[in-house]
Amino acid sequence: MADENKANKKPLPEITPINQPFWDGAKAGKLMMQKCQNCGTWVFCPRPVCGDCASDKLEWVQVSGKGKIFSFTVIREVVGQALRGFAPDIPYVTAWIDLDDGPRFCSNIIGCPIDKVHIDMPVEVVFEDSGDGVTLPKFKPCSSR
């Protein structure tokens, strides 16, 4: 029975030295992203060098966490054994969000009926404790904008 429960848990991100500042920020209620000091490119997912200029001069910057939905999909089915932990959440929305600060971020939209989610919808980050020591950034409709 314990193995079945483990198989039905949601997978969590692997926290590494490279992405640790992102997860520490989330735990503190801050959305942190890397920005290249050499060319100004936003870098996400966290990595050791800039994907545009290959500079290793990356700094962690807090972004506002406000933006608009660029694109989204509604997940209505779990495919694969590894993702069975998401079954209780179905249906749910995964979206690309254009943050006001410039970068694009992928996350879930929560706190909104699925049929009300739309392109250009203003959203803001909220932080959800997974219960396993990892805080996940998710987005909800903006209360005021």
Side-chain angles (χ1 to χ4, degrees):
M1 182 81 123
D3 288 338
E4 184 178 317
N5 287 339
K6 185 177 180 184
N8 288 330
K9 279 188 94 174
K10 290 180 187 175
L12 291 172
E14 179 182 356
I15 299 176
T16 68
I18 291 172
N19 66 26
Q20 183 79 50
F22 174 81
W23 297 110
D24 289 347
K27 192 172 286 242
K30 299 175 183 177
L31 188 59
M32 304 295 292
M33 296 184 79
Q34 289 176 304
K35 190 169 188 177
C36 180
Q37 294 177 3
N38 190 50
C39 72
T41 298
W42 290 99
V43 178
F44 196 82
C45 296
R47 59 197 68 191
V49 298
C50 175
D52 279 5
C53 74
S55 171
D56 64 354
K57 292 179 174 52
L58 302 177
E59 65 179 329
W60 285 95
V61 177
Q62 182 179 353
V63 294
S64 70
K66 293 183 183 272
K68 291 184 179 180
I69 295 176
F70 168 77
S71 178
F72 70 94
T73 189
V74 178
I75 308 299
R76 298 183 186 279
E77 182 178 350
V78 172
V79 178
Q81 188 62 32
L83 301 177
R84 292 285 175 222
F86 290 99
D89 298 336
I90 289 177
Y92 62 91
V93 176
T94 297
W96 282 104
I97 296 123
D98 282 339
L99 297 173
D100 291 350
D101 309 84
R104 186 170 283 162
F105 192 84
C106 186
S107 187
N108 296 113
I109 304 300
I110 61 172
C112 180
I114 288 174
D115 61 343
K116 300 295 184 197
V117 175
H118 60 88
I119 303 298
D120 288 331
M121 174 185 224
V123 293
E124 61 189 348
V125 72
V126 293
F127 296 93
E128 186 176 278
D129 183 357
S130 70
D132 290 313
V134 176
T135 301
L136 303 168
K138 298 194 177 183
F139 286 77
K140 68 174 187 167
C142 274
S143 50
S144 62
R145 221 163 153 194

